[in-house]
Amino acid sequence: MIKKSVSIISLSLILFFSCKPKKKENNTLCDSDYNQTELLSNYAEHLIIPGLKTFEESLVSLQVIWQRYASNAASLKELQDSFFETYVNLQKIQCFDFGPMESHMFIEKANSFPLNQGKLAQSIASANINFSEPERFDIGFPALEFLIFGLSESNIDSFKSDQTKQYIGAILSDLVQRIMTINTDWVSYKTTFINAQGTDAGSSLSLMVNALNKSFEISKRDRVGIPSGVLTLGLKQPELVEAPQSFLSKKLLFTNLEYNKLFFQGKYGKVNGEGLDNVLAHIKAVKNDLGLSNSIEDNYDAMLNKIDMFPGSLKEQVQSVNSSVIDLYALMSKQVVSLKSDMPSVLCIAITYLDNPSDSD
Amino acid sequence: MLFGLVRSLMQGWVYELYVKPQFFFSFYGFENLPRVGETLVYIIYAMAIISAILISIGLFYRFATIGFFLCFTYLELYDATNYLNHYYLICLFAFLLIFLPANKSHSLDVKLGFTKASDTVSAWMIYLIMAQIGIVYTYAGLAKLHPEWISEAMPLTIWLNERAHWPILGTLFSWEYSPILFSFFGAFYDLFIFWFLLFKKTRPWAYAAVVVFHLLTWSMFNIGLFPLIMITSNIIFFSASWHKRVLGRLGGMPKSAVYARSVPPGFVLYMCIQLILPLRFLFYNSQLLWAEEGYRFGWRVMLVEKSGLAHFTLKTSDHTAFEVDNSKFLTPFQEKQMAIQPDFIVQYAHYLGEYYSQQLQRKDLRIFVDAHVALNGRVSHPFINPKQDLLLIEDGFKTKQWIITHPDL
C-alpha cells in the first residue's frame, strides 16, 4: 500500500512538473499584475463625482428657472434652454448607474421613455406624485419634455394650470432630492469604490463594465433600434425616439454615446486619465490582429460621425433617410460584441445585470 | 432533495424558470413534452416535495420513489436551459432508489407493517450506487485532462481571481501558482477519489478528502446541492459494520448485513449506458468544449467559462431584413444559455420561424444568426456560420457543420 501511494504521488509530481506553469500569454486581467488603484481613483475623482455634481447644479438651476417661469418671472425660451442643457447633461452620467445612483434608481426615475401620454394626463389630473411606484412612464424628463415643448401655444394655458404646475414641481423636486442624496452618498462611497478592487461581481471594475454595457444597450435598443424599425419588423416609429417633441433627439444620442466613449477612456476635459482602454492595452488584448481598445475607439468614432451627418433630428432622420439610422444600428451591434463579450472576457468579469435564477454545476 | 426543492420555491425560482418564460428549450427527443403551465407546475412541485418527505421517513416507499422520480425528471425536462449535471444525477439516483429496498429498515413502512423488515441488502445494490458515483467522478476527471484545464489552468484562473479578496484564503487564491495547482489537484481528485474510497485502507482519508473538497467548492462556487449529494452519498463506501456502529451510537438501531447475489441483467444494461453515454463525443469530429456536441450527460462539471451573444436576423425573399428582439421571447437567463449552445440556437430559430411566418403570413422566411462566444478569458470568436439559414437545419446527431471552428482549441 505504501509503495503504491509513493508511486502514485511521485507519478503525480512528475505529471505536475512536466506541465509546470509557464508565464502564459493569455492576455487576461486575472493573469496580470495590474494595479487598479489609479484607475478607480481616476473614475471616482475626475469623472463620476464631478460629473454628478455638475448635473446636480444643472438640475437645481432648472428647478429655479421653472419656479420663476411659474410665477411669470422667466420666459418660456429660458425654461426650454435650461431644460435642454439639463437633459444633455443627464446623458453624461448614464454610465454611473451603479452604487448610490443605482440604489436611488435615478436613471429609471429620470429617463424612462417613451412617454405614456395618456397616463401622464391621468396622473396630472389625479395628482399622482407617488414616484416610488415602479415602471412609471409618465414621469421624469420625458414628461417634462412633453409639457415644456409638446404643447402648442394655444394649449399653454393648460400647461400653466395649477395641477400641471404642481406635477412639474413635484417631478423636479423628487429628482433634485434624489441627486442630492446620491452626491452625499458618494462622499463615503468613494473609499468603498476605490477599495473594491478585483474582478468579482461586487468589484468596482465589474460594476463599471456592467453599467457601461447597460447604458450602451439602452441606446442601441430604445434610442435607435425601436424607432428605426430594425427591431420591430421594419415598422418605423419615429415618435418613439427620446425627446420627440423638442428635436433634441440627435444631440441627446450623440452626447450619450460620446460620454459612453469618454467613460471607456477615463477621459475628462482634455485629460486622458487611466481608463478601461488602458487596462485593455496593459494586458495587450488583441482582436483580429488589432488592439481591442483601438478597435473599440474606432468604432465609437464611426458611430459618432454617422450621427453627426444627420442634418436634422434623429426623428426626422428616421422619417427621411432611415437607412443611415439602420447603418448606425449595425455599427452599434458590432460594438456590443466588443463591449459585452470581448472586454468582460479578457477582464475576467461577468455580465451580471442579467441575473441568473439558478446555480451552476 | 427536500432542502433543494424548498429553497428553489422560496427564492422564486419556480416562477422565474417555469412560469415566466413563454418558450421552453427541449432535450432531443422531448420536443413535444407537454408544458402544463403555472398551476400544475406548482402542484408537481408540491408532489415532489411530499414524495421526498415520504422517502425520508420511509412511508409508502415504492410509491414515493416512483412519484419523486417522475416529478423531478419531468421538471428537469421542462426547460433544457436549466440543465445541470447534478440535477441529472438526482434523476439517476431517484431512478435507482425505486429498485432499492431502502424502506426495509428504520422506516415507517416497517413500523406500520406495510413491509417486512430486513437486515440485509443485496451486494449488487450497493455496488450499483458505488459504480454510479465512480462514473461521475472518473468522467469528471477525464474531462479535465484537456490542455485548457491542465496547462492553461482555465477557467480556474478566472474563478480564483474573482475570490482573491477573500479573508485568509484570498492570499492563497491570488498566488500565481494556485490556478495550476488547483487545476491539477481537481483533476487528480476526480480521477482517483473513487479508487481511494474503494480500498479499505485509504477510505477514511479519502472520505475526509471528500468532505474537505466538497465543502471548499461549495463555499467557492455557486453549485447548489452537488456538494451535499456527494458528501452524503459517498458514505455508502463504508462497510456494513461501520454503518451499524454509527447508527447504533445514534440510538440503537437494528443491524444489517450484506451478502452477495447475482445481478439482474437490467442493471448491467443501465451501467453500460452510463459508461457509454459520456463517450459519445468521440463520434463527433468537433471541438467538445466549443461546439458541445455530446457534452451533456457527460459529467463535464465546471469545465469552461463562456459567454455569448446571438442576434437573429429575419429575411424575406424580397431582401428585407429585421432583427429579432430576443427579450421579447426569452428571459435573460434563457438568452444567455441559448447563445452558447448550438442546438438551442436552432430550436429558438425554428420557434421564431413559426411565430413570424404566422404573424407575417408568409412562407419565404429565412433566419440567420450573428453569434459570438468568448471562451475562458479570450476575446470572442464567431460561433455559427452567419450565412447558414437556420430554418433548413434539423437538429439531430449529425456533426454540426455550421459551427465555426475555434482557432485556439
Side-chain angles (χ1 to χ4, degrees):
Chain A
M1 200 62 221
I2 292 170
K3 237 184 190 173
K4 204 172 190 176
S5 30
V6 168
S7 59
I8 287 174
I9 289 167
S10 50
L11 182 73
S12 46
L13 283 177
I14 291 165
L15 257 167
F16 177 68
F17 285 105
S18 61
C19 47
K20 207 167 74 106
K22 39 182 176 148
K23 205 56 212 150
K24 282 167 290 167
E25 288 293 320
N26 249 345
N27 305 348
T28 63
L29 184 62
C30 34
D31 280 331
S32 93
D33 49 3
Y34 183 82
N35 185 333
Q36 298 182 9
T37 309
E38 194 192 335
L39 177 87
L40 298 179
S41 307
N42 181 46
Y43 277 100
E45 285 164 12
H46 299 129
L47 280 91
I48 301 172
I49 293 174
L52 290 172
K53 204 76 209 157
T54 309
F55 180 75
E56 181 187 317
E57 284 158 17
S58 178
L59 187 64
V60 168
S61 95
L62 172 64
Q63 191 184 28
V64 170
I65 290 181
W66 159 253
Q67 284 157 356
R68 286 178 44 215
Y69 175 80
S71 56
N72 295 317
S75 70
L76 182 63
K77 177 82 172 53
E78 279 175 273
L79 176 64
Q80 289 180 336
D81 287 348
S82 171
F83 175 80
F84 181 28
E85 193 193 316
T86 314
Y87 210 171
V88 171
N89 285 337
L90 176 63
Q91 305 297 328
K92 301 178 181 175
I93 61 169
Q94 304 267 336
C95 289
F96 310 159
D97 193 14
F98 54 86
M101 198 155 157
E102 191 184 27
S103 51
H104 294 287
M105 295 180 289
F106 194 78
I107 300 295
E108 188 196 319
K109 300 300 173 192
N111 203 16
S112 287
F113 68 96
L115 174 74
N116 184 336
Q117 284 183 21
K119 198 85 201 307
L120 175 64
Q122 279 174 24
S123 294
I124 292 176
S126 62
N128 177 7
I129 53 167
N130 174 16
F131 298 120
S132 55
E133 247 173 57
E135 309 230 346
R136 283 190 67 168
F137 283 83
D138 56 351
I139 58 172
F141 279 70
L144 295 176
E145 198 253 356
F146 177 76
L147 295 170
I148 297 176
F149 288 86
L151 297 174
S152 60
E153 288 295 324
S154 57
N155 273 339
I156 211 79
D157 284 343
S158 75
F159 171 47
K160 280 196 153 181
S161 77
D162 283 346
Q163 277 174 321
T164 312
K165 275 202 257 185
Q166 201 193 10
Y167 194 73
I168 293 178
I171 290 179
L172 284 169
S173 59
D174 176 65
L175 291 178
V176 166
Q177 196 57 50
R178 281 176 204 269
I179 193 71
M180 281 178 161
T181 321
I182 291 166
N183 277 323
T184 314
D185 287 0
W186 257 99
V187 175
S188 56
Y189 179 67
K190 183 182 153 187
T191 324
T192 319
F193 176 80
I194 295 175
N195 289 336
Q197 304 191 0
T199 56
D200 63 303
S203 67
S204 299
L205 187 67
S206 167
L207 295 179
M208 292 200 298
V209 170
N210 274 285
L212 176 94
N213 268 294
K214 197 159 104 187
S215 168
F216 190 83
E217 281 210 293
I218 291 173
S219 286
K220 176 175 170 262
R221 182 177 184 272
D222 297 341
R223 291 191 173 84
V224 181
I226 290 175
S228 66
V230 185
L231 287 171
T232 48
L233 298 173
L235 173 74
K236 291 198 283 185
Q237 300 176 91
E239 69 286 356
L240 293 188
V241 295
E242 189 180 26
Q245 310 293 336
S246 54
F247 300 99
L248 298 179
S249 46
K250 175 185 162 183
K251 175 73 176 167
L252 295 179
L253 175 63
F254 186 89
T255 311
N256 185 295
L257 294 180
E258 185 191 12
Y259 274 77
N260 204 277
K261 179 189 171 193
L262 292 174
F263 188 77
F264 172 73
Q265 295 173 310
K267 208 167 166 180
Y268 55 100
K270 291 216 157 60
V271 187
N272 194 349
E274 189 76 3
L276 295 171
D277 60 336
N278 301 95
V279 187
L280 295 180
H282 180 91
I283 59 174
K284 300 192 178 66
V286 172
K287 169 110 187 186
N288 300 335
D289 300 326
L290 265 175
L292 180 58
S293 67
N294 293 341
S295 95
I296 289 177
E297 277 167 18
D298 291 351
N299 209 12
Y300 273 125
D301 291 338
M303 291 183 296
L304 292 170
N305 286 335
K306 193 108 215 153
I307 301 170
D308 214 21
M309 309 244 275
F310 297 168
S313 72
L314 178 62
K315 185 176 163 188
E316 290 163 325
Q317 192 68 23
V318 169
Q319 282 158 340
S320 57
V321 194
N322 194 30
S323 61
S324 59
V325 184
I326 294 173
D327 291 347
L328 172 66
Y329 184 84
L331 288 172
M332 295 178 90
S333 296
K334 191 178 148 202
Q335 188 77 327
V336 166
V337 176
S338 300
L339 294 178
K340 199 180 173 188
S341 187
D342 298 339
M343 177 163 74
S345 182
V346 296
L347 295 182
C348 306
I349 274 173
I351 293 297
T352 47
Y353 66 90
L354 310 166
D355 233 0
N356 274 11
S358 170
D359 298 319
S360 43
D361 65 2
Chain B
M1 286 321 84
L2 187 60
F3 166 70
L5 289 165
V6 173
R7 166 169 167 259
S8 302
L9 207 57
M10 300 280 278
Q11 299 205 352
W13 286 356
V14 180
Y15 174 78
E16 291 286 332
L17 300 177
Y18 296 99
V19 182
K20 214 165 129 201
Q22 51 171 310
F23 168 72
F24 296 97
F25 291 95
S26 305
F27 291 104
Y28 186 81
F30 290 92
E31 293 81 2
N32 297 321
L33 183 84
R35 307 306 200 284
V36 292
E38 182 167 5
T39 321
L40 279 170
V41 160
Y42 278 108
I43 291 176
I44 294 172
Y45 228 84
M47 280 161 57
I49 291 177
I50 293 166
S51 318
I53 296 173
L54 291 178
I55 295 172
S56 334
I57 59 177
L59 187 62
F60 309 127
Y61 178 81
R62 186 67 30 104
F63 165 79
T65 44
I66 294 173
F68 182 79
F69 169 70
L70 291 178
C71 292
F72 194 87
T73 307
Y74 175 74
L75 290 170
E76 289 319 305
L77 291 172
Y78 208 91
D79 185 357
T81 315
N82 309 328
Y83 171 80
L84 288 181
N85 283 294
H86 64 258
Y87 290 149
Y88 171 49
L89 182 62
I90 293 173
C91 292
L92 294 179
F93 275 152
F95 176 72
L96 295 177
L97 271 182
I98 297 174
F99 303 94
L100 300 187
N103 62 333
K104 294 283 182 185
S105 167
H106 309 101
S107 73
L108 280 179
D109 277 349
V110 171
K111 288 221 169 101
L112 299 174
F114 294 145
T115 182
K116 256 201 297 185
S118 163
D119 280 359
T120 59
V121 57
S122 302
W124 65 264
M125 292 174 176
I126 305 236
Y127 294 148
L128 181 70
I129 301 284
M130 287 181 178
Q132 181 65 65
I133 293 171
I135 285 172
V136 173
Y137 276 128
T138 310
Y139 277 120
L142 288 173
K144 291 186 173 70
L145 299 180
H146 188 283
E148 284 290 296
W149 183 275
I150 291 292
S151 66
E152 300 287 328
M154 278 295 182
L156 267 174
T157 307
I158 300 173
W159 295 337
L160 289 180
N161 199 67
E162 282 173 3
R163 290 152 185 87
H165 63 284
W166 277 25
I168 309 164
L169 285 175
T171 326
L172 172 65
F173 294 161
S174 53
W175 184 44
E176 67 174 307
Y177 288 93
S178 285
I180 198 82
L181 271 172
F182 276 61
S183 296
F184 188 80
F185 176 75
F188 181 80
Y189 171 88
D190 280 346
L191 278 173
F192 297 111
I193 191 69
F194 172 67
W195 305 100
F196 288 131
L197 281 168
L198 212 51
F199 294 110
K200 205 174 168 198
K201 275 194 181 156
T202 48
R203 190 173 303 140
W205 295 104
Y207 190 72
V210 165
V211 173
V212 172
F213 178 86
H214 288 295
L215 285 180
L216 188 67
T217 50
W218 197 6
S219 64
M220 286 176 70
F221 305 115
N222 190 20
I223 46 180
L225 297 173
F226 187 66
L228 211 59
I229 299 170
M230 290 322 249
I231 289 175
T232 47
S233 59
N234 276 320
I235 296 174
I236 199 163
F237 283 92
F238 288 97
S239 69
S241 56
W242 182 89
H243 278 272
K244 274 185 289 180
R245 273 209 313 277
V246 174
L247 283 175
R249 256 180 240 163
L250 287 175
M253 302 290 195
K255 301 175 177 191
S256 53
V258 175
Y259 65 89
R261 219 174 64 183
S262 64
V263 184
F267 285 101
V268 178
L269 182 70
Y270 173 88
M271 273 302 130
C272 289
I273 294 173
Q274 284 302 314
L275 279 171
I276 293 166
L277 202 59
L279 293 175
R280 69 192 188 286
F281 74 91
L282 295 172
F283 295 104
Y284 294 103
N285 179 25
S286 65
Q287 300 161 316
L288 183 62
L289 293 186
W290 177 248
E292 301 202 358
E293 293 183 87
Y295 192 88
R296 284 181 212 125
F297 312 115
W299 313 116
R300 294 179 185 87
V301 188
M302 301 292 280
L303 208 52
V304 280
E305 177 71 30
K306 262 187 194 179
S307 70
L309 296 173
H311 294 119
F312 293 78
T313 307
L314 224 65
K315 284 187 183 158
T316 58
S317 50
D318 48 9
H319 298 293
T320 40
F322 323 106
E323 191 180 307
V324 175
D325 183 359
N326 290 334
S327 66
K328 212 178 139 191
F329 302 98
L330 304 177
T331 64
F333 180 58
Q334 285 181 313
E335 187 177 352
K336 223 160 144 174
Q337 292 291 325
M338 176 273 294
I340 57 174
Q341 301 181 57
D343 56 339
F344 285 7
I345 290 178
V346 172
Q347 278 183 32
Y348 177 53
H350 280 265
Y351 172 74
L352 292 174
E354 270 171 43
Y355 177 89
Y356 281 112
S357 53
Q358 212 160 48
Q359 207 199 7
L360 301 173
Q361 294 292 327
R362 43 197 315 166
K363 297 209 178 309
D364 60 344
L365 291 180
R366 291 179 301 154
I367 295 187
F368 302 88
V369 68
D370 182 36
H372 300 262
V373 172
L375 171 77
N376 285 351
R378 294 180 177 84
V379 291
S380 66
H381 189 267
F383 189 37
I384 305 289
N385 178 0
K387 297 203 173 81
Q388 170 71 47
D389 176 5
L390 299 175
L391 294 182
L392 297 179
I393 298 172
E394 282 309 320
D395 194 18
F397 293 121
K398 271 196 291 191
T399 299
K400 300 175 170 67
Q401 305 291 353
W402 36 272
I403 300 176
I404 300 172
T405 312
H406 196 292
D408 290 0
L409 292 173

